[in-house]
Amino acid sequence: MIRPHRSHPLWLAFILHRISGLALALFLPVHFWVLSLMLTDRERLDGFLLLTENAVVKLAELGLVFLLAVHIFGGLRLLAMEFLPWTSRQKTAAAAAIGVSILISGTFLLQAI
Amino acid sequence: MLRKLIDSVGPQFEAFKSQDEGLGVTETDKNIDVSVWRGGPDGGSFQRFEVPKQDNQTILDVVAWIQQNDDPTLSYRFACRVGMCGSCAMMVNGNPRWTCRTHVNKVLKNDRLEIAPLRNLPVIKDLAADMDPFFDKWREAGGVFHPTKSRNDPVEEISPLEEERQNANAGIECINCGVCYAACDVVAGNPDYLGPAALNRAWTLLNDTRDCGSQSILAAVSRGGGCHNCHSMGNCAHLCPNELSPMTSIAGLKRVTALSFLRPGN
Amino acid sequence: MLDLKLYLLQRLSALVMAPLVLGHLAVIIVAVQNGLTSEEILSRTQGSFWWALLYGTFVVAVSVHAAIGLRVIVFETLKLKGFALNSLTWAIFLGLFFMGARAVWAVTAVGAT
Amino acid sequence: MPLKADIDRHDTDILILGTGGAGLFAALHAQTSAPAGTKITIAVKGLIGKCGCTRMVQGGYNVALGPGDSVERHFMDTIVGGKWLPNQDMAWRLCEQAVIRVQELENEIGCYFDRKDDGTLDHKAFAGQTADRTVHKGDLTGIEIINRLMEQVLARPVEKLQEHRAIALIPTKDRSAVAGVLFVDMRTGQFRFVRTKTVLMATGGGPTMYKYHTPSGDKTMDGLAMALRIGLPLRDMEMVQFHPTGLLGGEGTKMTGTVLEEGLRGAGGHLLNGSEHRFMFDYDDKGERATRDVVSRGIYSEMRKNNSSPNGGVFISMSHLGVENVRQDFSGMVKRCADCGFDLAGSKVEVVPTAHYMMGGVVVDPDTRTAMEGLYVAGEDAGGAHGSNRLGGNGVANSTVYGGVAGDTMGLDVRKMTTLRDPDEEVLTAEMVRAEHPFSRPESHPQHLRTKLQDAMWNDVGIVRGETGLKKGITQIQEISDELMETGVAGDNLAFNLSWHDWLNLRSLCDISEVIAKAALARENSRGAHYREDFPDQGDLDTSYFTIVQNEGDMLNVSREPVEFSIVRPGETVLPEGEPETLVEAPSGPPGQPQEAAQ
Ligand SMILES: Cc1cc2nc3c(=O)[nH]c(=O)nc-3n(C[C@H](O)[C@H](O)[C@H](O)COP(=O)(O)OP(=O)(O)OC[C@H]3O[C@@H](n4cnc5c(N)ncnc54)[C@H](O)[C@@H]3O)c2cc1C
Ligand code: HEM
Ligand code: SF4
Ligand code: F3S
Ligand code: FES
């Protein structure tokens, strides 16, 4: 599925970063909207928050935190690569970023259950 | 959705998808089924040829065999035939490569090859791409030495151990083959983007202590199509036949441009 | 399309967000453990100048960051340019900023109870 | 086939053919020496800076800047290396100007040559040199030189005609001067005639009519063939330099013939014949470390005795030096072989001597002027500077030095030329007819003829020559040439029509092959690159002569001219008294120290 010139870890890191960024940008307004219910409609908010007990919602939430983790670590990797002159280990960094994000979201999952 | 996203990153050649890079087993007395892109600036399509397999055979040899034995009208370009001039790059099974030094066994999959002109450049005819935009950008990125001395001065003493010289040396052996330019999806998406090779050259110049054009280079690589468009996707470094890393050079440019913006005195 | 200034804005906003988001993640992990209610959220945040500052900074940064990020994706994939692209960037920025500001207000302003 | 009516006409003041070291330097120098408003055009068969051999230079550039070295010493090495045949004024200019040119390359063009750790230039010692003299950028010196030159030319207001193949020099009606150059715009197939006040021919020779050869594919002797047709004398044409170790990958691949660094032998690599015998000591005490011509002849003898490897060459074997060491010291060569499917570090690789460089060329004066007004020649197309043998490192020095000289000279001369000259329209038409000839013949690809020519040249006009073989060679060349005239190319689509250009390439190669063979027949001794089995002596040095071949009324006229010892006579030296004969220590050669990495 991935075109041949892209089949390497750095490109994978790039596309993960892009997809996670995009997904976050789409999620964030929803998140803001939910919170602003606080002002207008406390009942609905509580109803909504109750839903977090619901497995589906939980899964969605988990996905978003996962995305956030992926994006942050991908972003930090980039920032490190661009601003710190130790540059030759990007591949390892890319892998590590994914690893750490899985770890974080895993912790989240365990805690939440 | 994912598929669409991946595809949306940039327009692609309809490429035969192969991810296998390993050296295959050599089997002679077999034919290779070769699809070659034929056409011109207004478009074209793939044409199939049967080429006899040989022990030692590069992609360029396959192309030349077709022109010399099957279809004399096939157009392509090469010069040095040994990886020095960067004239012969083409898309081979979806990857940009120097064809004169790509052994058929390295890329062959199920005895099939698909050969197309270099991506991200206008086509002249068949497999010959017009490299002018590539060199125009090389120039736009400030890619020319700005001297301070003359032919009557002695050669300057510069230790190869200096950090700046090492930075420059790391990127200097570029043969301007355009492989990285064809591999970069940002180039595909953003026609103004100067591209990995031109920016790599700018970085080597910036690290050349004899060059007095730093300010103009920094300005050139900071414009709309400049180094800040690079997403470090690394296709350039992954595919550069000379194992250079334009990505690393571009990261250097980002760093230096940012620093010089934040500390204009420097 | 990114020039030096947009690039710097995006990198700076990312740097600002990094600690904030990591902190936020930690809070979520703790919070989720006890189940989420609006009461709980508010008891933590309401009337707190520091929470307001923290979330406010995040909102500004993320609006800038995401606006530039989406701008790049839109430019590269949809080929939008010039005025249209600039307008879109501003629209995303303002949209995120106002929604975010409202959310911060909702969560931190005193007296909403 | 009716003559294509659409010939485009174009004017310029200074026209340069080729973008090797000579062409690019000429463009830069002409820019500064010509009066303001002079139009400069550079036309090339490939892409600017991406074709030709200067880019392929590996070993380096000879310049007398090393410790203890002097222009005098460089000059003496050049004369002795050329076996007293060089034009001494040209050789002197070469050595003297190389110093300026390298400083220009470093300080103005932006090349960076390798330094020692203390920051001073690194000089290698090549075979035949009495000082450490060769500056380099790793073993990719040509890429550094041409990339930097190309950038400078691209950045200047020079008109660029890329993928424009020069097919004829067009004289004025009275034949006293050149009026312009006829091109094929390869991308469209259209003829383009460019009228000009001055032309520099810098198309770079290149003996690609041999079965095994090193030069780039665009070089097919077009320049010398054009010069010959317009009646200019060519000198030293029998002098073709062979490099002992070209890669041998079989018939079907273009990588066959490309150079494997001589440093491999210098470092202690073994040459083995088909039965794995290390044969070079059968020919010379120095074994593999003997000079280039000796090793080439040694290998060739084994091949003739059928002691050869599967593809008909010999083996180079490096693994006894330690696979890891080889991988490290010769990473470029190891990688190149690996890309082609060979393991240089761990096993044996087949090699064969390969035609490398044309010492001969158009007769010019030290300012690059020819006998024809308005026509200048520099670089490998010009004869004289090297005599019978070119030292490794003197090739790129020659093209860059004389390219610059040509630019300066044209910039000056163009001031005196107030108007463009009108071409002899008959010649122009005849040259177009000539180029279109294959369209009128039954279609068949000329490749098999090229193979035939390459075999004939290799077998009979190659490394070891003799009267019988040379005569046979000449007959074969003529037959192939005649057959070519009956071989056609379809003329319905001329855009980027490589088969047409293959035909034109072969036309030039046939013409010059005949010149080489006839000059070789005329030289009845063995000097430098020219070896006659039937005349193995070098002949009397004091009465040294060089050969001249000229086209007169469609007949090749071969004559001899005495060498003028204008600066130094055989047996004498220009080195000050008391100077040691050599500054280079005896080549004891610790492994990894190439003593003879000359390219
Ligand atoms: C593999 C290799 C390694 C070498 N290594 C060394 C070395 O280490 N040291 C050294 O001193 N020398 C070396 N040489 C020799 C040296 O490269 C050449 O002698 C020298 O560079 C020739 O320069 P030039 O400018 O005359 O020709 P080139 O650089 O060959 O340029 C000729 C130009 O003319 C163009 N051209 C040809 N025909 C036409 C036409 N019909 N119309 C328009 N344009 C045309 C070509 O495309 C090209 O651009 C080496 C040569 C080879 C092949
Ligand atoms: C908190 C820490 C964050 C860091 C360190 C960070 C870092 C980065 C960096 C360095 C880039 C540039 C990528 C590139 O040029 O290739 C980027 C892009 C982007 N970010 Fe973030 N980011 C963070 C948070 C967010 C958040 C919360 C959002 C969601 C709103 C977001 C949305 C985006 C988008 C949409 C892009 C564009 C992606 C692309 O160009 O491919 N980021 N981020
Ligand atoms: S950086 Fe590498 S891939 Fe790009 S042009 Fe240079 S040599 Fe080719
Ligand atoms: S592939 Fe393109 S995005 Fe950057 S790292 Fe290389 S230039
Ligand atoms: S032909 Fe020169 S790099 Fe391939």
Side-chain angles (χ1 to χ4, degrees):
Chain A
M1 181 189 76
I2 294 174
R3 283 163 205 282
H5 71 281
R6 299 169 173 164
S7 54
H8 57 98
L10 286 176
W11 190 82
L12 203 68
F14 155 76
I15 199 66
L16 278 178
H17 192 67
R18 173 159 282 192
I19 292 169
S20 57
L22 193 62
L24 284 173
L26 296 177
F27 160 74
L28 207 62
V30 178
H31 188 64
F32 285 158
W33 174 73
V34 169
L35 287 174
S36 28
L37 287 180
M38 203 84 78
L39 263 185
T40 50
D41 200 343
R42 288 279 293 277
E43 312 293 281
R44 255 178 86 195
L45 178 64
D46 276 329
F48 195 81
L49 291 179
L50 269 180
L51 277 179
T52 52
E53 293 299 320
N54 179 308
V56 178
V57 175
K58 234 175 176 165
L59 212 67
E61 201 96 326
L62 171 73
L64 286 166
V65 176
F66 175 75
L67 283 177
L68 197 56
V70 166
H71 190 78
I72 290 185
F73 284 95
L76 290 176
R77 174 189 75 93
L78 276 174
L79 289 169
M81 197 181 99
E82 287 170 5
F83 292 104
L84 305 172
W86 47 268
T87 49
S88 55
R89 303 242 179 89
Q90 290 106 11
K91 291 192 186 195
T92 343
I98 297 166
V100 171
S101 42
I102 289 170
L103 209 80
I104 297 226
S105 47
T107 322
F108 171 75
L109 184 70
L110 285 178
Q111 300 255 336
I113 290 171
Chain B
M1 164 77 177
L2 190 67
R3 175 66 218 241
K4 210 160 169 262
L5 249 172
I6 289 175
D7 274 0
S8 70
V9 176
Q12 302 298 318
F13 261 99
E14 205 17 75
F16 168 61
K17 289 150 197 87
S18 145
Q19 292 175 49
D20 189 353
E21 301 256 321
L23 279 176
V25 204
T26 319
E27 287 162 271
T28 30
D29 64 74
K30 249 193 172 178
N31 282 345
I32 313 172
D33 176 1
V34 192
S35 296
V36 178
W37 195 88
R38 306 297 303 270
D42 306 324
S45 57
F46 283 94
Q47 187 182 343
R48 286 174 86 152
F49 296 96
E50 292 272 305
V51 177
K53 211 164 164 185
Q54 275 165 331
D55 278 345
N56 298 316
Q57 192 177 27
T58 62
I59 301 299
L60 180 62
D61 293 325
V62 168
V63 172
W65 189 94
I66 295 173
Q67 180 248 333
Q68 286 168 357
N69 298 282
D70 193 339
D71 187 340
T73 64
L74 179 63
S75 307
Y76 56 99
R77 181 188 291 123
F78 79 99
C80 72
R81 74 212 150 94
V82 67
M84 296 184 96
C85 71
S87 303
C88 66
M90 301 169 201
M91 303 299 290
V92 182
N93 284 356
N95 270 333
R97 292 188 179 278
W98 55 5
T99 56
C100 67
R101 269 180 65 176
T102 301
H103 199 288
V104 164
N105 284 346
K106 189 172 178 181
V107 285
L108 203 60
K109 187 127 195 254
N110 303 326
D111 288 320
R112 286 205 55 199
L113 282 177
E114 187 187 79
I115 308 177
L118 211 52
R119 192 169 80 120
N120 295 342
L121 289 166
V123 177
I124 295 176
K125 185 171 172 278
D126 300 344
L127 300 174
D130 180 358
M131 294 194 78
D132 280 355
F134 175 84
F135 284 106
D136 290 345
K137 289 180 179 178
W138 188 286
R139 220 175 51 233
E140 278 165 36
V144 65
F145 182 72
H146 312 83
T148 52
K149 294 192 170 167
S150 88
R151 64 196 75 167
N152 300 315
D153 299 310
V155 170
E156 203 171 309
E157 288 190 9
I158 300 166
S159 167
L161 306 174
E162 283 171 23
E163 189 191 329
E164 287 186 301
R165 195 59 238 174
Q166 291 192 341
N167 284 340
N169 280 351
I172 203 71
E173 283 175 5
C174 168
I175 57 168
N176 27 70
C177 62
V179 162
C180 55
Y181 190 82
C184 177
D185 293 330
V186 177
V187 176
N190 178 356
D192 290 336
Y193 179 45
L194 294 171
L199 292 168
N200 176 67
R201 172 60 183 140
W203 174 244
T204 61
L205 269 172
L206 212 55
N207 279 284
D208 189 333
T209 47
R210 305 165 304 168
D211 185 275
C212 71
S214 310
Q215 286 316 312
S216 65
I217 295 170
L218 289 180
V221 301
S222 298
R223 282 198 279 266
C227 63
H228 305 105
N229 291 280
C230 164
H231 299 297
S232 306
M233 64 177 68
N235 299 349
C236 53
H238 179 59
L239 284 164
C240 170
N242 281 329
E243 295 170 3
L244 306 185
S245 176
M247 179 176 77
T248 308
S249 302
I250 295 170
L253 287 176
K254 289 173 179 167
R255 188 163 62 242
V256 174
T257 49
L259 286 179
S260 79
F261 181 82
L262 300 173
R263 286 183 292 167
N266 275 358
Chain C
M1 191 183 4
L2 275 185
D3 60 13
L4 174 58
K5 283 181 193 152
L6 286 177
Y7 165 85
L8 278 176
L9 273 177
Q10 205 195 27
R11 295 320 190 245
L12 283 177
S13 57
L15 276 176
V16 169
M17 278 190 293
L20 296 178
V21 172
L22 286 174
H24 189 60
L25 276 179
V27 172
I28 293 177
I29 289 172
V30 177
V32 165
Q33 229 175 1
N34 310 329
L36 274 177
T37 64
S38 60
E39 211 63 55
E40 219 191 325
I41 298 178
L42 289 177
S43 69
R44 195 170 54 236
T45 57
Q46 212 165 46
S48 160
F49 169 73
W50 292 112
W51 280 114
L53 187 69
L54 240 56
Y55 282 139
T57 315
F58 174 78
V59 165
V60 174
V62 86
S63 311
V64 169
H65 182 84
I68 299 175
L70 290 176
R71 170 193 170 90
V72 171
I73 298 182
V74 165
F75 170 71
E76 282 177 17
T77 53
L78 304 179
K79 306 272 186 266
L80 213 59
K81 288 194 228 315
F83 178 73
L85 187 63
N86 286 334
S87 314
L88 185 78
T89 314
W90 277 105
I92 297 172
F93 168 73
L94 292 173
L96 278 174
F97 181 74
F98 282 118
M99 291 188 76
R102 215 157 71 103
V104 176
W105 181 256
V107 196
T108 59
V110 198
T113 333
Chain D
M1 175 92 198
L3 187 65
K4 269 175 83 92
D6 57 335
I7 168 172
D8 178 80
R9 287 179 192 250
H10 196 83
D11 287 343
T12 190
D13 296 316
I14 294 179
L15 175 63
I16 293 159
L17 308 182
T19 61
L24 291 174
F25 251 114
L28 294 178
H29 276 228
Q31 254 239 322
T32 45
S33 64
T38 305
K39 186 171 170 196
I40 301 171
T41 303
I42 190 159
V44 59
K45 204 172 175 181
L47 300 180
I48 289 178
K50 291 175 81 67
C51 48
C53 290
T54 312
R55 204 180 166 96
M56 299 171 73
V57 164
Q58 301 181 349
Y61 191 124
N62 282 350
V63 58
L65 282 172
D69 201 6
S70 63
V71 172
E72 285 79 5
R73 188 175 281 283
H74 186 183
F75 170 77
M76 281 314 296
D77 287 349
T78 303
I79 299 297
V80 172
K83 304 286 186 281
W84 294 92
L85 290 196
N87 174 313
Q88 298 195 350
D89 297 326
M90 287 178 73
W92 178 262
R93 188 104 186 242
L94 166 64
C95 302
E96 190 188 36
Q97 291 288 306
V99 176
I100 303 290
R101 207 58 91 235
V102 162
Q103 288 174 176
E104 185 178 356
L105 279 166
E106 268 273 347
N107 296 338
E108 297 181 31
I109 309 296
C111 293
Y112 174 86
F113 297 108
D114 284 351
R115 307 291 210 272
K116 297 198 191 66
D117 283 356
D118 67 1
T120 57
L121 273 180
D122 185 42
H123 297 264
K124 294 197 264 192
F126 274 1
Q129 305 197 15
T130 62
D132 293 353
R133 181 173 296 141
T134 311
V135 298
H136 60 103
K137 175 82 190 81
D139 57 6
L140 299 172
T141 311
I143 295 176
E144 175 73 356
I145 292 177
I146 290 293
N147 273 353
R148 303 294 81 88
L149 281 169
M150 172 193 82
E151 289 169 357
Q152 297 288 346
V153 169
L154 288 179
R156 269 160 238 242
V158 172
E159 183 184 43
K160 289 132 192 145
L161 300 177
Q162 300 195 86
E163 293 181 327
H164 270 62
R165 178 200 185 111
I167 55 171
L169 303 166
I170 308 295
T172 54
K173 227 176 170 82
D174 66 2
R175 305 289 154 98
S176 67
V178 66
V181 177
L182 178 64
F183 292 94
V184 175
D185 175 346
M186 298 166 73
R187 292 180 181 177
T188 60
Q190 199 191 23
F191 286 117
R192 180 157 293 128
F193 176 63
V194 180
R195 222 161 44 132
T196 182
K197 291 173 185 162
T198 63
V199 190
L200 172 67
M201 201 171 79
T203 57
T208 55
M209 68 286 277
Y210 288 89
K211 184 169 177 181
Y212 307 110
H213 58 259
T214 66
S216 78
D218 49 305
K219 297 224 300 187
T220 53
M221 293 285 175
D222 298 338
L224 295 189
M226 293 190 296
L228 186 72
R229 273 207 312 288
I230 206 174
L232 289 171
L234 309 182
R235 63 169 285 176
D236 294 323
M237 289 300 287
E238 71 279 22
M239 302 301 178
V240 181
Q241 184 171 64
F242 284 80
H243 194 292
T245 52
L247 185 63
L248 179 55
E251 305 249 319
T253 177
K254 286 187 192 299
M255 63 205 179
T256 284
T258 56
V259 172
L260 284 188
E261 214 182 302
E262 285 196 72
L264 296 172
R265 286 187 293 119
H270 290 172
L271 291 172
L272 309 175
N273 66 15
S275 42
E276 312 256 320
H277 167 62
R278 197 177 161 200
F279 59 87
M280 264 318 293
F281 285 98
D282 305 346
Y283 299 94
D284 196 284
D285 292 346
K286 297 201 197 75
E288 287 88 355
R289 288 177 178 162
T291 54
R292 202 183 272 190
D293 49 336
V294 173
V295 179
S296 292
R297 280 199 291 276
I299 298 176
Y300 186 71
S301 307
E302 291 298 305
M303 291 165 66
R304 280 216 293 197
K305 288 189 238 157
N306 278 331
N307 289 341
S308 50
S309 61
N311 279 305
V314 298
F315 294 107
I316 189 159
S317 168
M318 304 295 295
S319 52
H320 59 280
L321 298 171
V323 176
E324 273 316 308
N325 293 343
V326 177
R327 217 162 259 156
Q328 209 157 42
D329 294 348
F330 298 98
S331 59
M333 287 297 123
V334 170
K335 184 163 182 272
R336 185 183 283 190
C337 288
D339 286 347
C340 305
F342 302 115
D343 177 10
L344 178 64
S347 78
K348 305 170 295 189
V349 174
E350 284 183 74
V351 293
V352 69
T354 175
H356 191 45
Y357 186 89
M358 289 296 300
M359 267 72 73
V362 180
V363 175
V364 291
D365 74 7
D367 288 323
T368 72
R369 295 193 184 92
T370 66
M372 184 167 257
E373 188 186 330
L375 181 63
Y376 304 74
V377 180
E380 201 175 320
D381 274 345
H386 312 296
S388 71
N389 206 2
R390 171 186 68 92
L391 296 184
N394 266 1
V396 59
N398 177 62
S399 62
T400 50
V401 162
Y402 280 107
V405 170
D408 293 337
T409 310
M410 290 190 296
L412 283 182
D413 288 0
V414 82
R415 291 164 199 263
K416 290 173 274 175
M417 303 176 185
T418 46
T419 53
L420 287 160
R421 305 173 201 96
D422 281 322
D424 184 332
E425 293 288 336
E426 269 171 41
V427 178
L428 190 57
T429 309
E431 287 289 356
M432 283 189 284
V433 170
R434 196 184 122 84
E436 292 194 324
H437 177 86
F439 306 149
S440 65
R441 292 295 182 275
E443 193 186 334
S444 133
H445 199 280
Q447 183 60 27
H448 72 282
L449 287 178
R450 179 141 181 190
T451 313
K452 247 181 170 172
L453 178 69
Q454 288 177 330
D455 283 336
M457 290 300 285
W458 174 257
N459 291 327
D460 295 319
V461 196
I463 296 169
V464 175
R465 301 161 174 178
E467 187 181 335
T468 333
L470 286 170
K471 285 187 168 152
K472 186 171 140 222
I474 292 169
T475 318
Q476 277 177 287
I477 296 164
Q478 278 158 352
E479 281 166 10
I480 294 163
S481 178
D482 291 344
E483 211 179 315
L484 180 65
M485 295 312 276
E486 295 312 316
T487 303
V489 174
D492 40 6
N493 182 2
L494 300 183
F496 228 115
N497 188 328
L498 293 186
S499 298
W500 182 24
H501 292 285
D502 285 341
W503 191 96
L504 292 167
N505 287 343
L506 192 49
R507 192 59 264 156
S508 300
L509 288 174
C510 282
D511 293 350
I512 298 304
S513 296
E514 190 176 342
V515 173
I516 294 174
K518 289 194 166 154
L521 192 59
R523 175 171 290 283
E524 297 187 332
N525 57 33
S526 295
R527 285 270 180 119
H530 173 75
Y531 185 81
R532 287 278 299 255
E533 271 175 322
D534 41 357
F535 297 98
D537 267 15
Q538 66 168 2
D540 178 32
L541 289 183
D542 285 313
T543 57
S544 294
Y545 60 88
F546 59 90
T547 62
I548 293 274
V549 181
Q550 198 164 8
N551 193 3
E552 276 160 28
D554 271 347
M555 283 286 295
L556 288 187
N557 223 329
V558 188
S559 55
R560 297 173 175 182
E561 257 179 59
V563 176
E564 219 184 300
F565 302 112
S566 56
I567 298 177
V568 63
R569 299 197 62 81
E572 295 174 357
T573 177
V574 295
L575 288 178
E577 217 164 309
E579 273 280 306
E581 200 163 294
T582 176
L583 304 173
V584 184
E585 287 163 40
S588 56
Q593 270 286 301
Q595 298 125 28
E596 200 207 329
Q599 307 289 326

